[in-house]
Amino acid sequence: MLKGTFPLDKFKDLATPFYYYDVALLKRTLDVVCKESSAFGYHVHYAVKANANPRILSLIASYGLGADCVSGGEIQAALDAGFPARKVVFAGVGKADWEINLGLDKDIFCFNVESKEELRIINELAAQKGKVATVALRVNPNVDAHTHIKITTGRKENKFGINLSMLNEVIDELVKMKNVTLTGLHFHIGSQITDLSTFQNLCIRCNELQDDLENRGVKIENLNFGGGLGIDYYHPNHLEIPAFENYFAVFHKLLKVRPGQQVHFEPGRSIVAQCGSLISRVLYVKEGEVKKFVILDAGFTELIRPAMYDAYHRIENLSSEGAVDTYDVVGPICESSDVFGKEVELNATRRGDFVALRSAGAYGEVMASQYNCRSLPKAYYSDTL
Ligand code: LLP
């Protein structure tokens, strides 16, 4: 079985479970992101929600990317890590007053506004500070992302964004407001999108919308297409860097960019997923009547994606080259959803073996919880271990 390379000799003294980040891979990924986006002059704001580990954040900031934040906490984490405020965008359907105030105080690049109700509050809070907030309207373009229902965001029935049919009314209200200025349109239709035709549909919808707005005399300086590019969870050892070239090429080919208009993206998963693995030890190999269970010391408290979205993560036994056998791989949490994989093929597995759950750099560590009074996982990095 082809496996990732891990420094097992260094792991042996560490308490499990923990996250392990391949920093060289993250750097290679960032090199590709920067090269492919700058080829078209696109701006990239890393989606902090995917992984807000300070070391990872500051590495990403050092590549000159901006930050896409969805809370005051994320804005603060991004600024602490070195992202400049002028490259911070702030989305979210429920921005609290203190979070809006933080964005105003720090003079962030843009508020991605999700409703007229929110717009009014931003206008009010900006007026109290004698400021003018720069806003983009997050449009719900009613484009199906063809991904898991729990990570689909751009359909009419989702809570996100302003419905297309209501956009004109919101813009009419906005242009009369004194303390907000419209700078752009924002879209984000979902996550783990692997079919690039979905982004083609988004471009087409955006072109139509821009024509409409132009006819009404509305000028749009910035277009932001959110994140969503998927990764290959099945082949992390072969396809470790997503095809950013093809992704950006879709927009370059289809999007009708107006002179001077700037195009932005907010990738999260595609930047950090493949560089992270959750490393655990096998506690028991339990023989059931019909199954063999590998019971790990990691559970859904450390990686919730399989339990929450039925997500697949490749599982590798790093300590064994023995004959392949079939196991259900589970965690120790007292819930039957604490299963990482059923009928998983692993090299013959024994107590004490190291097991890696791959492609866990995005929405892994950052979604960990302390349920069952467990401790949050530690993180180690390939270049400092
Ligand atoms: N921009 C906005 C406004 C978003 O809501 C998201 C993700 C992104 C950018 C980044 O999307 P990405 O490039 O990572 O697909 N916890 C789930 C994923 C939730 C995504 C939420 N929004 C998971 O583990 O699959």
Side-chain angles (χ1 to χ4, degrees):
M1 288 184 115
L2 179 61
K3 297 178 198 172
T5 22
F6 293 92
L8 278 189
D9 51 322
K10 294 188 174 144
F11 285 179
K12 67 180 189 317
D13 302 323
L14 303 175
T16 45
F18 59 83
Y19 272 88
Y20 174 74
Y21 293 104
D22 179 344
V23 175
L25 173 56
L26 178 56
K27 288 181 175 171
R28 287 202 301 282
T29 309
L30 287 164
D31 284 336
V32 173
V33 173
C34 291
K35 175 170 171 270
E36 302 302 343
S37 59
S38 60
F40 303 124
Y42 293 162
H43 305 273
V44 176
H45 308 260
Y46 164 67
V48 172
K49 65 177 78 63
N51 189 320
N53 172 313
R55 171 91 212 276
I56 302 282
L57 281 187
S58 50
L59 182 70
I60 296 174
S62 75
Y63 277 71
L65 272 62
D68 158 43
C69 302
V70 288
S71 70
E74 284 193 358
I75 294 177
Q76 200 53 60
L79 297 177
D80 292 348
F83 288 94
R86 67 186 153 75
K87 290 189 181 180
V88 168
V89 295
F90 181 19
V93 291
K95 300 178 185 75
D97 293 17
W98 75 266
E99 295 176 307
I100 296 170
N101 280 328
L102 179 66
L104 290 168
D105 290 341
K106 301 291 180 188
D107 292 320
I108 61 167
F109 173 61
C110 180
F111 290 84
N112 291 332
V113 172
E114 310 235 7
S115 66
K116 62 175 181 306
E117 292 79 5
E118 176 196 334
L119 186 64
R120 290 176 192 149
I121 298 299
I122 294 179
N123 186 48
E124 229 174 272
L125 295 174
Q128 284 168 19
K129 292 180 184 291
K131 291 197 166 193
V132 176
T134 317
V135 303
L137 295 178
R138 177 168 179 178
V139 180
N140 184 328
N142 197 25
V143 171
D144 196 336
H146 303 291
T147 183
H148 191 280
I149 186 79
K150 286 194 184 157
I151 49 175
T152 292
T153 46
R155 300 293 310 278
K156 265 193 226 176
E157 59 271 31
N158 299 128
K159 69 176 175 180
F160 298 98
I162 298 166
N163 290 141
L164 276 176
S165 62
M166 297 167 79
L167 192 60
N168 286 343
E169 161 195 336
V170 178
I171 294 178
D172 288 345
E173 189 169 338
L174 191 159
V175 292
K176 289 187 209 125
M177 293 178 175
K178 294 206 166 49
N179 297 85
V180 289
T181 176
L182 178 64
T183 184
L185 296 177
H186 175 239
F187 308 85
H188 172 78
I189 55 174
S191 199
Q192 185 51 19
I193 298 170
T194 48
D195 179 356
L196 289 184
S197 69
T198 305
F199 295 113
Q200 293 176 352
N201 295 338
L202 179 58
C203 289
I204 293 166
R205 191 59 53 88
C206 176
N207 289 340
E208 292 165 358
L209 182 58
Q210 284 224 81
D211 290 344
D212 282 358
L213 292 177
E214 222 162 47
N215 290 337
R216 301 183 67 237
V218 180
K219 199 166 168 267
I220 300 295
E221 283 165 46
N222 292 283
L223 294 174
N224 181 338
F225 292 95
L229 177 62
I231 64 135
D232 191 333
Y233 280 97
Y234 288 87
H235 306 101
N237 300 315
H238 299 289
L239 283 165
E240 48 177 20
I241 301 179
F244 287 102
E245 187 182 354
N246 301 345
Y247 170 67
F248 290 126
V250 167
F251 292 87
H252 180 65
K253 191 166 162 221
L254 286 178
L255 201 64
K256 291 196 207 132
V257 177
R258 290 0 189 210
Q261 205 170 43
Q262 303 295 311
V263 179
H264 304 251
F265 295 89
E266 302 169 343
R269 184 190 319 265
S270 51
I271 293 181
V272 289
Q274 296 293 33
C275 75
S277 295
L278 175 60
I279 307 294
S280 67
R281 279 191 177 88
V282 176
L283 291 175
Y284 303 101
V285 179
K286 171 173 164 175
E287 301 264 355
E289 218 170 280
V290 288
K291 296 230 182 208
K292 274 188 223 166
F293 296 96
V294 166
I295 303 177
L296 301 179
D297 59 8
F300 72 43
T301 40
E302 287 73 43
L303 179 64
I304 202 167
R305 302 193 69 259
M308 194 156 173
Y309 316 109
D310 302 313
Y312 172 85
H313 284 263
R314 186 179 153 85
I315 304 174
E316 296 171 356
N317 183 331
L318 305 180
S319 310
S320 166
E321 290 300 331
V324 170
D325 204 345
T326 306
Y327 306 91
D328 278 12
V329 180
V330 304
I333 310 298
C334 294
E335 299 239 8
S336 33
S337 61
D338 190 25
V339 175
F340 287 123
K342 292 196 167 163
E343 314 274 306
V344 180
E345 295 202 331
L346 289 180
N347 293 104
T349 298
R350 291 187 309 197
R351 174 174 165 83
D353 286 352
F354 280 109
V355 166
L357 289 131
R358 304 293 308 279
S359 316
Y363 307 109
E365 186 185 356
V366 78
M367 291 180 80
S369 78
Q370 293 183 307
Y371 183 45
N372 283 193
C373 289
R374 287 165 64 84
S375 308
L376 290 174
K378 284 199 170 142
Y380 298 99
Y381 311 89
S382 56
D383 60 342
T384 50
L385 200 60

